[in-house]
Amino acid sequence: MTVSRTGPLPTIAYDLTVVGAGVVGCALARELVRRAPGARIALLDAADDVGEGTSKANTAILHTGFDAVPGSLEARLVREGGRQLSQYAAESGIPVEPVGALLVAWDAAQRAALPGLAAKAERNGHRATRIIEPDELVATEPHLGPGAHGALDVPGESIICPWTTTLAHATQAVRAGVDLHLNSRVTAVTWDGRSHHVDTAGRGTVDTRWLVNAAGLHADAIDRLLGHDTLTVTPRRGQLIVYDKFARDLVRHILLPVPTALGKGVLVAPTVYGNVLLGPTAEDLDDKRATHTTADALDRLRAAGRRILPPLVEEEVTAVYAGLRTATDQDDYRIDARPDQHYVTVGGIRSTGLTACMGIAAHVADLLADSGCTDLGRARDLPPVTLPNLGEAFPRPYQDPELIARDPEFGTIVCHCERVTRGEIRDALAATIPPASLEGLRRRTRARAGRCQGFSCGAAVRELFGRGNGGRT
């Protein structure tokens, strides 16, 4: 198993290399090693951890694909990938809660749009939707704001942990033989007719026969290094507010607005960690590093929340964050194979990419095989991977007396807000892909993610992290 963050990259020639270790890139690496067990496969990322870009800052919803454009590639891969991910989650310790969604109409025009959305869902193979009237809507969601004209009930929409999803794919890929090279920002690519020579910032060059570009926000930049100018990625910022666990009883479903051209709009959704999300905004920007929040946007979110779920905005805020989604000029994924260059672009993977990641991975593997990549054959089963389940609705280590009896470290709580134990932190630091930062440790354990944001446990967590990382903090 190889996970590197520093030093020169290996001089071996790889058969397949994936650029981008977000949820899609990690799912791709896992799928490629399933289909090419004897191949030498690399996964590169510019960051020091997997899932450090768009994948860590989304709305954490496992979609049914009911509102995708019928017949689009996105619709198919969301449908197929959602089924695969639901099964994979159950096997791998990824928390999922099938809470369902309500698409709420707030005026007569939105109410008139619901039958069309129901018909669209049916064309996408989702036949369980139904329109509910205001009385039933209020009975279903008693804290909903006044004036709703009804809703489209969408059973099957679920909430999921995006952090564990990415890490599970990456862990299984590495254990099966994929080399994960982090802190490896691609600066140049040269194609000599047989191999790609991929230069990185400060770590040297990777040689590879086949190259897959899953670089998310930077997929267009990688594409241009290969001489292509057909993809432009616009960063679309989504700011969100995270409310404390005391707000969780206020909402039973994912509350969605009627969508617009900019996206699905501002929603209210529970999380698998027991919080409630409000957001996101949809702001098209020029800066692919602009992941800061703004006072104006947060005020707009609170105003929207006051209409959707009035008691929510009176609850305590645990955190705010922003993520950048990959918007393009087309209303679909941009997945293109160039067989003569041994190259595939996986671009324009929007907010549904979390749901579709395994469907995208299978589709790209098929494209590579059709393009002449003879390394790929029938998929094999990989040894299973089981990660710690971070979901609030699932058993946690501090609640397991038998586990604590075997290992008392699981009975010693370090982060009291999230009830994270020394045993969980110890295991995360010794994992196949250990965290490189306190934020990475937070995503693996929930330590410092609670209402005090590390004020009480920060020193203890930093000490454990430094001890597990050779003194580095």
Side-chain angles (χ1 to χ4, degrees), residues 39-54:
R40 293 160 296 185
I41 302 171
L43 175 60
L44 308 180
D45 198 275
D48 63 6
D49 203 354
V50 298
E52 274 287 349
T54 298

PDB file of all heavy atoms in Angstrom, residues 39-54:
ATOM      1  N   ALA A  39      -2.794  -4.101 -13.159  1.00  0.00           N
ATOM      2  CA  ALA A  39      -2.284  -2.836 -13.682  1.00  0.00           C
ATOM      3  C   ALA A  39      -1.668  -1.987 -12.579  1.00  0.00           C
ATOM      4  O   ALA A  39      -2.005  -2.115 -11.406  1.00  0.00           O
ATOM      5  CB  ALA A  39      -3.417  -2.069 -14.364  1.00  0.00           C
ATOM      6  N   ARG A  40      -0.771  -1.116 -12.969  1.00  0.00           N
ATOM      7  CA  ARG A  40      -0.187  -0.146 -12.047  1.00  0.00           C
ATOM      8  C   ARG A  40      -0.998   1.138 -12.159  1.00  0.00           C
ATOM      9  O   ARG A  40      -1.034   1.773 -13.230  1.00  0.00           O
ATOM     10  CB  ARG A  40       1.283   0.089 -12.390  1.00  0.00           C
ATOM     11  CG  ARG A  40       2.169  -1.134 -12.149  1.00  0.00           C
ATOM     12  CD  ARG A  40       3.464  -1.062 -12.906  1.00  0.00           C
ATOM     13  NE  ARG A  40       3.212  -1.072 -14.352  1.00  0.00           N
ATOM     14  CZ  ARG A  40       4.161  -1.113 -15.276  1.00  0.00           C
ATOM     15  NH1 ARG A  40       5.429  -1.142 -14.915  1.00  0.00           N
ATOM     16  NH2 ARG A  40       3.858  -1.106 -16.550  1.00  0.00           N
ATOM     17  N   ILE A  41      -1.637   1.519 -11.068  1.00  0.00           N
ATOM     18  CA  ILE A  41      -2.601   2.622 -11.079  1.00  0.00           C
ATOM     19  C   ILE A  41      -2.186   3.662 -10.045  1.00  0.00           C
ATOM     20  O   ILE A  41      -1.841   3.324  -8.911  1.00  0.00           O
ATOM     21  CB  ILE A  41      -4.029   2.115 -10.773  1.00  0.00           C
ATOM     22  CG1 ILE A  41      -4.439   1.054 -11.800  1.00  0.00           C
ATOM     23  CG2 ILE A  41      -5.033   3.265 -10.768  1.00  0.00           C
ATOM     24  CD1 ILE A  41      -5.740   0.350 -11.464  1.00  0.00           C
ATOM     25  N   ALA A  42      -2.243   4.933 -10.452  1.00  0.00           N
ATOM     26  CA  ALA A  42      -1.932   6.038  -9.542  1.00  0.00           C
ATOM     27  C   ALA A  42      -3.130   6.967  -9.433  1.00  0.00           C
ATOM     28  O   ALA A  42      -3.902   7.140 -10.385  1.00  0.00           O
ATOM     29  CB  ALA A  42      -0.715   6.815 -10.029  1.00  0.00           C
ATOM     30  N   LEU A  43      -3.269   7.573  -8.265  1.00  0.00           N
ATOM     31  CA  LEU A  43      -4.282   8.593  -8.005  1.00  0.00           C
ATOM     32  C   LEU A  43      -3.551   9.812  -7.455  1.00  0.00           C
ATOM     33  O   LEU A  43      -2.892   9.733  -6.416  1.00  0.00           O
ATOM     34  CB  LEU A  43      -5.308   8.070  -6.996  1.00  0.00           C
ATOM     35  CG  LEU A  43      -6.394   9.038  -6.504  1.00  0.00           C
ATOM     36  CD1 LEU A  43      -7.251   9.545  -7.663  1.00  0.00           C
ATOM     37  CD2 LEU A  43      -7.279   8.353  -5.451  1.00  0.00           C
ATOM     38  N   LEU A  44      -3.645  10.940  -8.170  1.00  0.00           N
ATOM     39  CA  LEU A  44      -2.936  12.150  -7.792  1.00  0.00           C
ATOM     40  C   LEU A  44      -3.912  13.220  -7.314  1.00  0.00           C
ATOM     41  O   LEU A  44      -5.024  13.320  -7.826  1.00  0.00           O
ATOM     42  CB  LEU A  44      -2.158  12.738  -8.987  1.00  0.00           C
ATOM     43  CG  LEU A  44      -1.221  11.842  -9.787  1.00  0.00           C
ATOM     44  CD1 LEU A  44      -0.580  12.654 -10.901  1.00  0.00           C
ATOM     45  CD2 LEU A  44      -0.157  11.232  -8.893  1.00  0.00           C
ATOM     46  N   ASP A  45      -3.459  14.037  -6.364  1.00  0.00           N
ATOM     47  CA  ASP A  45      -4.255  15.199  -5.979  1.00  0.00           C
ATOM     48  C   ASP A  45      -3.328  16.306  -5.497  1.00  0.00           C
ATOM     49  O   ASP A  45      -2.280  16.046  -4.891  1.00  0.00           O
ATOM     50  CB  ASP A  45      -5.261  14.856  -4.883  1.00  0.00           C
ATOM     51  CG  ASP A  45      -6.372  15.897  -4.793  1.00  0.00           C
ATOM     52  OD1 ASP A  45      -6.192  16.927  -4.116  1.00  0.00           O
ATOM     53  OD2 ASP A  45      -7.424  15.676  -5.429  1.00  0.00           O
ATOM     54  N   ALA A  46      -3.749  17.543  -5.744  1.00  0.00           N
ATOM     55  CA  ALA A  46      -2.949  18.691  -5.344  1.00  0.00           C
ATOM     56  C   ALA A  46      -2.977  18.927  -3.844  1.00  0.00           C
ATOM     57  O   ALA A  46      -2.051  19.516  -3.285  1.00  0.00           O
ATOM     58  CB  ALA A  46      -3.443  19.947  -6.069  1.00  0.00           C
ATOM     59  N   ALA A  47      -4.025  18.474  -3.170  1.00  0.00           N
ATOM     60  CA  ALA A  47      -4.192  18.717  -1.741  1.00  0.00           C
ATOM     61  C   ALA A  47      -3.470  17.655  -0.930  1.00  0.00           C
ATOM     62  O   ALA A  47      -2.935  16.678  -1.463  1.00  0.00           O
ATOM     63  CB  ALA A  47      -5.671  18.742  -1.389  1.00  0.00           C
ATOM     64  N   ASP A  48      -3.473  17.834   0.392  1.00  0.00           N
ATOM     65  CA  ASP A  48      -2.778  16.883   1.263  1.00  0.00           C
ATOM     66  C   ASP A  48      -3.687  15.779   1.793  1.00  0.00           C
ATOM     67  O   ASP A  48      -3.291  14.983   2.637  1.00  0.00           O
ATOM     68  CB  ASP A  48      -2.100  17.603   2.434  1.00  0.00           C
ATOM     69  CG  ASP A  48      -3.088  18.306   3.358  1.00  0.00           C
ATOM     70  OD1 ASP A  48      -4.312  18.162   3.171  1.00  0.00           O
ATOM     71  OD2 ASP A  48      -2.631  19.032   4.271  1.00  0.00           O
ATOM     72  N   ASP A  49      -4.922  15.718   1.286  1.00  0.00           N
ATOM     73  CA  ASP A  49      -5.861  14.684   1.729  1.00  0.00           C
ATOM     74  C   ASP A  49      -6.868  14.434   0.623  1.00  0.00           C
ATOM     75  O   ASP A  49      -7.030  15.262  -0.295  1.00  0.00           O
ATOM     76  CB  ASP A  49      -6.586  15.139   3.001  1.00  0.00           C
ATOM     77  CG  ASP A  49      -7.132  13.977   3.831  1.00  0.00           C
ATOM     78  OD1 ASP A  49      -7.047  12.818   3.375  1.00  0.00           O
ATOM     79  OD2 ASP A  49      -7.649  14.237   4.929  1.00  0.00           O
ATOM     80  N   VAL A  50      -7.543  13.311   0.699  1.00  0.00           N
ATOM     81  CA  VAL A  50      -8.612  13.031  -0.257  1.00  0.00           C
ATOM     82  C   VAL A  50      -9.837  13.882   0.101  1.00  0.00           C
ATOM     83  O   VAL A  50     -10.045  14.244   1.264  1.00  0.00           O
ATOM     84  CB  VAL A  50      -8.982  11.534  -0.260  1.00  0.00           C
ATOM     85  CG1 VAL A  50      -7.792  10.699  -0.684  1.00  0.00           C
ATOM     86  CG2 VAL A  50      -9.510  11.075   1.092  1.00  0.00           C
ATOM     87  N   GLY A  51     -10.647  14.189  -0.907  1.00  0.00           N
ATOM     88  CA  GLY A  51     -11.898  14.892  -0.655  1.00  0.00           C
ATOM     89  C   GLY A  51     -11.740  16.299  -0.139  1.00  0.00           C
ATOM     90  O   GLY A  51     -12.627  16.809   0.546  1.00  0.00           O
ATOM     91  N   GLU A  52     -10.645  16.983  -0.488  1.00  0.00           N
ATOM     92  CA  GLU A  52     -10.390  18.317   0.064  1.00  0.00           C
ATOM     93  C   GLU A  52     -11.062  19.438  -0.719  1.00  0.00           C
ATOM     94  O   GLU A  52     -11.055  20.579  -0.285  1.00  0.00           O
ATOM     95  CB  GLU A  52      -8.882  18.587   0.103  1.00  0.00           C
ATOM     96  CG  GLU A  52      -8.189  18.079   1.347  1.00  0.00           C
ATOM     97  CD  GLU A  52      -8.492  18.916   2.576  1.00  0.00           C
ATOM     98  OE1 GLU A  52      -9.070  20.002   2.445  1.00  0.00           O
ATOM     99  OE2 GLU A  52      -8.147  18.469   3.678  1.00  0.00           O
ATOM    100  N   GLY A  53     -11.657  19.132  -1.878  1.00  0.00           N
ATOM    101  CA  GLY A  53     -12.273  20.179  -2.681  1.00  0.00           C
ATOM    102  C   GLY A  53     -13.780  20.202  -2.529  1.00  0.00           C
ATOM    103  O   GLY A  53     -14.329  20.248  -1.422  1.00  0.00           O
ATOM    104  N   THR A  54     -14.460  20.141  -3.646  1.00  0.00           N
ATOM    105  CA  THR A  54     -15.926  20.186  -3.656  1.00  0.00           C
ATOM    106  C   THR A  54     -16.530  19.074  -2.810  1.00  0.00           C
ATOM    107  O   THR A  54     -17.577  19.256  -2.181  1.00  0.00           O
ATOM    108  CB  THR A  54     -16.428  20.075  -5.113  1.00  0.00           C
ATOM    109  OG1 THR A  54     -15.945  21.199  -5.860  1.00  0.00           O
ATOM    110  CG2 THR A  54     -17.938  20.055  -5.173  1.00  0.00           C
TER     111      THR A  54
END
